[in-house]
Amino acid sequence: MILLGVNIDHCATVRQARYRGAATTGGNVEPDPVALALACERAGADGITIHLREDRRHIQDRDVERLCEVAQTRVNLEMACTPEMTALALRLKPHAVCLVPESREEITTEGGLDVVKHREKVARVTDAMNAAGIQTSLFIDADEHQIEMSAKLHAPWIELHTGAYANAYHGPARADEFKRLCLGATQAQALGLVVNAGHGINYINIAEVRTIPHLHELNIGHSIISRALFTGIEEAVREMKARMNP
Ligand code: PXP
């Protein structure tokens, strides 16, 4: 069975649209991403993913603290490879961290982390997390050099970036992008890496994404939160899980 990590960042995006600049760390500000996380878990989510961005555009520090206290499943903290984020993860001890690239201008995470270029920085964070018993996942493109380096850096997990595939879904490059993901997953599994995937996965492309070999977990956010506006979050989570594991 493929596991589902629900990314709840965009619940916080809606909250910040109204409360940005106000006291967002307490009081009756809505919608509360932590309450949403608990509803996702009730509906069968296997984990909750949040991205604490450097600019705090959606998830806030207090959300991470509260979620780590009350989550019943796994908390996966997406973060940049910075000393500030490393210290925060070591203090709050989520079950896992996913190291992602971050630049202030991008709307969302646009490409994989270049673990070849940034290997020293990535090694420092991965070693610190391994020593603290926090699983590290590296969010990378399905590229043979990135995958090889991920194994060398002793990251137990990778998350293959499915964004290029999702963008190509209705165009001629789709088959090539899909093949790249399948080859990457096969290479990673042979190197002993646990294979996750995420970004741009929706209720349509999941029919093909789920056939990528060796998948352990998918991290899905935008499509689930979007559907939840119409169906409620529990139905949106249940429907995605059903499509992942028909
Ligand atoms: N995985 C990672 C590493 C991400 O950065 C994101 C986006 O925040 C996701 C998964 C979820 O992507 P989406 O919101 O497109 O489902």
Side-chain angles (χ1 to χ4, degrees):
M1 198 177 82
I2 304 170
L3 304 181
L4 172 62
V6 180
N7 181 315
I8 58 166
D9 291 348
H10 295 308
C11 177
T13 301
V14 175
R15 179 189 61 191
Q16 298 308 112
R18 172 57 56 94
Y19 295 103
R20 188 183 296 274
T24 53
T25 52
N28 292 321
V29 288
E30 61 183 9
D32 177 13
V34 177
L36 190 88
L38 297 178
C40 291
E41 290 183 329
R42 283 197 297 277
D46 302 289
I48 303 295
T49 295
I50 44 176
H51 185 177
L52 184 67
R53 297 187 74 106
E54 201 186 347
D55 63 7
R56 306 302 197 267
R57 72 179 65 159
H58 39 52
I59 293 292
Q60 307 295 307
D61 297 51
R62 182 75 185 120
D63 297 325
V64 185
E65 282 171 19
R66 290 171 57 226
L67 187 63
C68 287
E69 276 167 25
V70 303
Q72 301 293 303
T73 57
R74 292 175 62 251
V75 176
N76 174 33
L77 175 66
E78 291 177 6
M79 59 177 224
C81 270
T82 63
E84 183 207 359
M85 288 299 161
T86 305
L88 189 132
L90 292 174
R91 180 168 66 82
L92 297 179
K93 294 211 167 26
H95 299 91
V97 295
C98 180
L99 302 185
V100 299
E102 214 175 281
S103 86
R104 281 165 194 265
E105 297 77 31
E106 67 189 0
I107 295 169
T108 179
T109 310
E110 276 161 10
L113 178 65
D114 186 343
V115 297
V116 175
K117 183 172 169 196
H118 299 296
R119 57 183 169 275
E120 283 167 18
K121 208 159 58 167
V122 175
R124 269 199 300 278
V125 180
T126 304
D127 289 349
M129 296 302 150
N130 283 342
I134 300 171
Q135 282 160 323
T136 307
S137 173
L138 304 178
F139 184 51
I140 56 170
D141 291 328
D143 168 90
E144 61 175 313
H145 304 293
Q146 298 292 331
I147 295 167
E148 241 170 55
M149 183 55 74
S150 299
K152 282 192 188 142
L153 293 172
H154 307 297
W157 296 10
I158 57 165
E159 181 171 325
L160 292 177
H161 195 318
T162 46
Y165 162 80
N167 288 340
Y169 189 77
H170 296 289
R174 168 176 161 191
D176 282 350
E177 289 295 345
F178 184 67
K179 195 168 153 202
R180 211 154 67 90
L181 289 167
C182 294
L183 289 174
T186 303
Q187 180 197 358
Q189 203 257 356
L191 289 170
L193 292 159
V194 172
V195 181
N196 298 335
H199 206 91
I201 300 172
N202 60 35
Y203 291 82
I204 305 297
N205 65 28
I206 187 60
E208 189 166 62
V209 168
R210 59 174 289 279
T211 66
I212 296 169
H214 314 300
L215 278 183
H216 175 71
E217 182 174 86
L218 295 176
N219 280 303
I220 308 177
H222 190 267
S223 64
I224 292 178
I225 302 296
S226 302
R227 181 168 287 223
L229 292 174
F230 297 93
T231 67
I233 189 67
E234 298 197 13
E235 179 55 29
V237 170
R238 274 195 294 270
E239 179 64 22
M240 183 57 86
K241 271 209 87 167
R243 292 188 190 208
M244 286 165 58
N245 300 291

